[in-house]
Amino acid sequence: MTAKVFFWSTEEKQWQQAPSLPEGRHHTYLQAAGGKLFAFGGFINSAQGQWLNTADVLPLDEAKNT
């Protein structure tokens, strides 16, 4: 489980790191639409230490690098 995000740069022909998610998660679905990138859902740690499915929709804000 990680907050790190990587993308494949076709220009550089290598993986590069993007801004991190607000918290670690796994099985998050990434989708590009309208020139923007969104992260949907995924599992996060609950207060009890168990994985909890979240309905978050997180847009990439390139201007704020978040």
Side-chain angles (χ1 to χ4, degrees):
M1 185 152 23
T2 183
K4 293 180 182 178
V5 177
F6 292 88
F7 70 96
W8 178 257
S9 171
T10 54
E11 294 174 3
E12 308 265 338
K13 297 190 179 6
Q14 65 182 358
W15 288 99
Q16 295 187 348
Q17 191 164 359
S20 293
L21 296 168
E23 61 188 325
R25 58 186 64 213
H26 64 85
H27 287 85
T28 301
Y29 181 72
L30 298 175
Q31 179 65 50
K36 297 183 181 209
L37 181 64
F38 299 89
F40 292 91
F43 290 91
I44 59 174
N45 272 329
S46 71
Q48 293 79 25
Q50 298 173 335
W51 293 342
L52 176 68
N53 193 7
T54 177
D56 291 346
V57 177
L58 305 168
L60 172 63
D61 187 336
E62 290 183 89
K64 294 181 181 175
N65 201 34
T66 61

